[in-house]
Amino acid sequence: MYIGRFAPSPTGPMHFGSLITAVASYLDAKHQHGIWKLRIEDLDQPRTVKGSDKTILDTLHQHGFHWDDEVIYQSHRLDIYQSFLSKLNEKKIIYYCECSRKEIADSAITGIDGMIYPGTCRNKILDSNHHALRVKVEDLFIEFEDKIQGGIKQNILKEFGDFILKRSDGIYAYQLAVVIDDALQNINTIIRGSDLIDSSSRQIYLQKILSLPKVAYGHVPVATLNQKKLSKENQSIPINISNVKDNLIACLKFLGQDYEVVRKENTLTNFWATATQLWDISLVPKIKTIEIEI
């Protein structure tokens, strides 16, 4: 059975970009009579805004989303992440790193998703005192077929380098937590924004070394305004919940779907039933960003 999910970060109220991802992941799951789960990714507590998780859940509810199972909070699962790190430690493929960002920038080259760590601390013996924890990666290609963007092929060592699994401040890295959570929640299909497409290779690599199941990925275009991604960090305007149907139709239009037929539905229940029936992932634009107007 198809099992998908939506995993927002509680760093503020939902904006249009988040709603697009929620709509795409929900419709792709429900079109295939699957399960759609909800996870709150609140690992980075310094960035978490108190009460925003409830605001996000309320916004989803007001737009007619219905999720399966209980809502999972990453901040409640720290012992689980540590247990998986212990497994990697037994394999001797993780190590502590004392390099500052400036030191890395001075000696590294720029990759497709930031600086490529040059392996400075790979063979050092360091303790855990305020040091980041990195995974040793192999010189190999990760290939997968994205359900929207097509074939992806990346060299995990040459394009990313040894990446962080636990930060020097003790916070578990997104790449580690998301892989573990998806596996333990039995997620087998992930529809999310294209800003995360370059995370996929690292996550597939972690699935491999942790002996976790593979998942299918599909990355929808990211909404931009003035060439900037809509995000809470960029002070994007929160969703206006007084225009629920208009919000959802705008998402369908953005995703290349037949929104004119759905527009005629006069209840949210009928709206979702028709939108689910008509959903066609092949119509989603095969580009990474789309500029919008507000």
Side-chain angles (χ1 to χ4, degrees), residues 186-207:
N186 298 312
I187 305 299
N188 54 34
T189 307
I190 297 172
I191 305 297
R192 59 187 180 185
S194 65
D195 54 323
L196 292 171
I197 195 167
D198 289 324
S199 290
S200 302
S201 294
R202 281 167 286 180
Q203 291 167 18
I204 292 170
Y205 185 78
L206 286 177
Q207 290 161 7

Short mmCIF file of all heavy atoms in Angstrom, two decimals, residues 186-207:
data_model
loop_
_atom_site.label_atom_id
_atom_site.label_comp_id
_atom_site.label_asym_id
_atom_site.label_seq_id
_atom_site.Cartn_x
_atom_site.Cartn_y
_atom_site.Cartn_z
N ASN A 186 7.04 3.49 8.01
CA ASN A 186 6.73 2.69 6.82
C ASN A 186 6.39 3.55 5.61
O ASN A 186 5.61 3.14 4.74
CB ASN A 186 5.59 1.71 7.10
CG ASN A 186 5.94 0.71 8.18
OD1 ASN A 186 7.01 0.10 8.15
ND2 ASN A 186 5.06 0.54 9.16
N ILE A 187 6.98 4.76 5.55
CA ILE A 187 6.76 5.62 4.39
C ILE A 187 7.47 5.01 3.19
O ILE A 187 8.65 4.67 3.25
CB ILE A 187 7.32 7.03 4.66
CG1 ILE A 187 6.73 7.64 5.94
CG2 ILE A 187 7.07 7.93 3.46
CD1 ILE A 187 5.23 7.80 5.94
N ASN A 188 6.75 4.88 2.07
CA ASN A 188 7.40 4.33 0.87
C ASN A 188 7.37 5.30 -0.32
O ASN A 188 7.98 5.02 -1.35
CB ASN A 188 6.79 2.99 0.48
CG ASN A 188 5.28 3.03 0.32
OD1 ASN A 188 4.71 4.04 -0.11
ND2 ASN A 188 4.61 1.94 0.70
N THR A 189 6.67 6.42 -0.17
CA THR A 189 6.64 7.43 -1.24
C THR A 189 6.66 8.82 -0.62
O THR A 189 5.85 9.12 0.26
CB THR A 189 5.39 7.28 -2.12
OG1 THR A 189 5.29 5.93 -2.59
CG2 THR A 189 5.47 8.22 -3.32
N ILE A 190 7.59 9.65 -1.09
CA ILE A 190 7.74 10.99 -0.54
C ILE A 190 7.57 12.02 -1.66
O ILE A 190 8.33 12.02 -2.63
CB ILE A 190 9.12 11.17 0.12
CG1 ILE A 190 9.26 10.21 1.30
CG2 ILE A 190 9.33 12.62 0.55
CD1 ILE A 190 10.66 10.18 1.89
N ILE A 191 6.55 12.86 -1.52
CA ILE A 191 6.34 13.98 -2.44
C ILE A 191 6.65 15.25 -1.65
O ILE A 191 6.01 15.51 -0.62
CB ILE A 191 4.89 14.02 -2.97
CG1 ILE A 191 4.52 12.69 -3.64
CG2 ILE A 191 4.72 15.19 -3.95
CD1 ILE A 191 5.32 12.33 -4.86
N ARG A 192 7.60 16.03 -2.11
CA ARG A 192 8.02 17.23 -1.38
C ARG A 192 8.56 18.25 -2.36
O ARG A 192 8.58 18.04 -3.58
CB ARG A 192 9.07 16.85 -0.33
CG ARG A 192 10.33 16.20 -0.91
CD ARG A 192 11.24 15.69 0.18
NE ARG A 192 12.44 15.06 -0.37
CZ ARG A 192 13.36 14.44 0.37
NH1 ARG A 192 13.20 14.34 1.68
NH2 ARG A 192 14.43 13.91 -0.20
N GLY A 193 9.04 19.38 -1.83
CA GLY A 193 9.53 20.46 -2.68
C GLY A 193 10.89 20.16 -3.29
O GLY A 193 11.71 19.44 -2.71
N SER A 194 11.13 20.74 -4.46
CA SER A 194 12.38 20.47 -5.18
C SER A 194 13.60 21.06 -4.49
O SER A 194 14.73 20.74 -4.85
CB SER A 194 12.29 21.02 -6.61
OG SER A 194 12.17 22.43 -6.59
N ASP A 195 13.41 21.92 -3.49
CA ASP A 195 14.54 22.42 -2.73
C ASP A 195 15.21 21.30 -1.93
O ASP A 195 16.34 21.45 -1.46
CB ASP A 195 14.12 23.55 -1.78
CG ASP A 195 12.96 23.17 -0.87
OD1 ASP A 195 12.06 22.43 -1.33
OD2 ASP A 195 12.94 23.61 0.29
N LEU A 196 14.53 20.16 -1.80
CA LEU A 196 15.09 19.01 -1.07
C LEU A 196 15.57 17.90 -1.99
O LEU A 196 15.99 16.85 -1.51
CB LEU A 196 14.04 18.46 -0.10
CG LEU A 196 13.67 19.39 1.07
CD1 LEU A 196 12.48 18.84 1.82
CD2 LEU A 196 14.86 19.58 1.99
N ILE A 197 15.55 18.15 -3.29
CA ILE A 197 15.92 17.07 -4.21
C ILE A 197 17.37 16.64 -4.04
O ILE A 197 17.70 15.46 -4.16
CB ILE A 197 15.63 17.48 -5.68
CG1 ILE A 197 15.64 16.24 -6.59
CG2 ILE A 197 16.60 18.54 -6.18
CD1 ILE A 197 15.07 16.49 -7.97
N ASP A 198 18.24 17.60 -3.69
CA ASP A 198 19.65 17.26 -3.51
C ASP A 198 19.92 16.62 -2.16
O ASP A 198 21.05 16.19 -1.89
CB ASP A 198 20.53 18.49 -3.71
CG ASP A 198 20.57 18.93 -5.17
OD1 ASP A 198 20.55 18.06 -6.04
OD2 ASP A 198 20.61 20.15 -5.43
N SER A 199 18.91 16.54 -1.29
CA SER A 199 19.04 15.77 -0.06
C SER A 199 18.79 14.29 -0.30
O SER A 199 19.21 13.44 0.49
CB SER A 199 18.04 16.27 0.99
OG SER A 199 18.39 17.55 1.47
N SER A 200 18.12 13.98 -1.39
CA SER A 200 17.69 12.61 -1.63
C SER A 200 18.85 11.63 -1.73
O SER A 200 18.79 10.53 -1.18
CB SER A 200 16.84 12.54 -2.91
OG SER A 200 15.72 13.39 -2.81
N SER A 201 19.93 12.02 -2.41
CA SER A 201 21.07 11.11 -2.57
C SER A 201 21.68 10.76 -1.21
O SER A 201 22.03 9.60 -0.96
CB SER A 201 22.13 11.75 -3.47
OG SER A 201 21.64 11.91 -4.78
N ARG A 202 21.81 11.75 -0.35
CA ARG A 202 22.35 11.48 0.98
C ARG A 202 21.42 10.60 1.79
O ARG A 202 21.86 9.72 2.54
CB ARG A 202 22.61 12.80 1.71
CG ARG A 202 23.90 13.50 1.28
CD ARG A 202 23.98 14.92 1.76
NE ARG A 202 23.09 15.80 1.00
CZ ARG A 202 22.98 17.10 1.22
NH1 ARG A 202 23.67 17.67 2.19
NH2 ARG A 202 22.17 17.83 0.48
N GLN A 203 20.12 10.82 1.62
CA GLN A 203 19.16 10.00 2.36
C GLN A 203 19.15 8.56 1.84
O GLN A 203 19.05 7.61 2.62
CB GLN A 203 17.79 10.65 2.28
CG GLN A 203 17.73 11.94 3.09
CD GLN A 203 16.52 12.80 2.81
OE1 GLN A 203 15.52 12.33 2.26
NE2 GLN A 203 16.59 14.06 3.18
N ILE A 204 19.27 8.39 0.54
CA ILE A 204 19.36 7.04 -0.03
C ILE A 204 20.63 6.35 0.46
O ILE A 204 20.62 5.15 0.77
CB ILE A 204 19.32 7.10 -1.57
CG1 ILE A 204 17.93 7.57 -2.04
CG2 ILE A 204 19.66 5.75 -2.19
CD1 ILE A 204 17.86 7.89 -3.52
N TYR A 205 21.71 7.11 0.56
CA TYR A 205 22.97 6.55 1.08
C TYR A 205 22.81 6.08 2.52
O TYR A 205 23.25 4.99 2.89
CB TYR A 205 24.09 7.59 0.98
CG TYR A 205 25.44 7.05 1.38
CD1 TYR A 205 26.17 6.25 0.51
CD2 TYR A 205 25.99 7.33 2.64
CE1 TYR A 205 27.40 5.73 0.87
CE2 TYR A 205 27.21 6.83 3.01
CZ TYR A 205 27.92 6.03 2.13
OH TYR A 205 29.14 5.52 2.51
N LEU A 206 22.12 6.89 3.34
CA LEU A 206 21.90 6.49 4.73
C LEU A 206 20.98 5.28 4.82
O LEU A 206 21.18 4.39 5.67
CB LEU A 206 21.30 7.66 5.52
CG LEU A 206 22.26 8.80 5.86
CD1 LEU A 206 21.52 9.92 6.57
CD2 LEU A 206 23.43 8.32 6.70
N GLN A 207 19.98 5.20 3.94
CA GLN A 207 19.13 4.01 3.91
C GLN A 207 19.98 2.77 3.65
O GLN A 207 19.76 1.72 4.27
CB GLN A 207 18.06 4.16 2.82
CG GLN A 207 17.00 5.20 3.12
CD GLN A 207 16.25 5.66 1.88
OE1 GLN A 207 16.43 5.12 0.79
NE2 GLN A 207 15.42 6.68 2.03
#
